Amino acid sequence: SLKEKWILREAVRPYITDELYKRRKNPFLAPTRWPQGGALHRLFQGLLTREAVEALGFLDYAVVEEALERAYSLKGDTKAFRTLVYVGAWVTLRERFGVKKANKEDWVSQAKVRGNQAEAASQSFDDGRYSMK
């Protein structure tokens, strides 16, 4: 059977043990649950405050608040965790680069520029689709 990364193995052969050279690849699986009150949970709690999320202008804080609860529940909801990662990235980018708060007029004007239907964009902004207000 073929070993993965054969070229890399051959390149480092003189520098590694036989055990490393001959071993099979073992996949790395990231954790699917994170401890409530742990370092990552505390990081998100500090980063994803009501003020920080509302300063984005296009997310409903209640969605983020619920994701914080679900991601760190006993079941460890991975979809909720993914939401926290995305929102955390947006908050960080806004804070680091001074991005102004999004508003409906910007959303609609960008839809027009891209050739989308401004009415549909306006409606999705108003009715809360995709976690928007």
Side-chain angles (χ1 to χ4, degrees), residues 11-31:
V12 298
R13 178 69 181 117
Y15 310 103
I16 61 173
T17 65
D18 280 340
E19 180 183 2
L20 283 175
Y21 179 76
K22 293 177 181 177
R23 81 174 184 172
R24 294 189 60 131
K25 182 178 177 182
N26 295 314
F28 171 76
L29 301 174

Side-chain angles (χ1 to χ4, degrees), residues 50-112:
R50 178 179 294 279
E51 296 77 26
V53 171
E54 289 178 351
L56 292 169
F58 59 92
L59 292 178
D60 183 357
Y61 181 71
V63 172
V64 175
E65 194 171 39
E66 183 182 340
L68 271 167
E69 290 177 22
R70 287 192 349 251
Y72 293 96
S73 67
L74 291 176
K75 291 184 179 180
D77 185 336
T78 56
K79 184 177 177 184
F81 183 78
R82 193 174 317 122
T83 297
L84 298 177
V85 171
Y86 285 129
V87 176
W90 296 332
V91 166
T92 301
L93 288 170
R94 189 200 64 76
E95 290 175 355
R96 298 266 170 104
F97 296 106
V99 177
K100 69 178 186 163
K101 185 174 182 173
N103 63 53
K104 182 178 176 179
E105 291 73 32
D106 290 339
W107 180 261
V108 173
S109 67
Q110 285 300 312
K112 287 179 184 177

Side-chain angles (χ1 to χ4, degrees), residues 1-13 21:
S1 83
L2 294 173
K3 298 241 183 191
E4 292 191 34
K5 301 187 182 181
W6 179 83
I7 291 175
L8 178 60
R9 285 176 185 272
E10 291 303 311
V12 298
R13 178 69 181 117
Y21 179 76

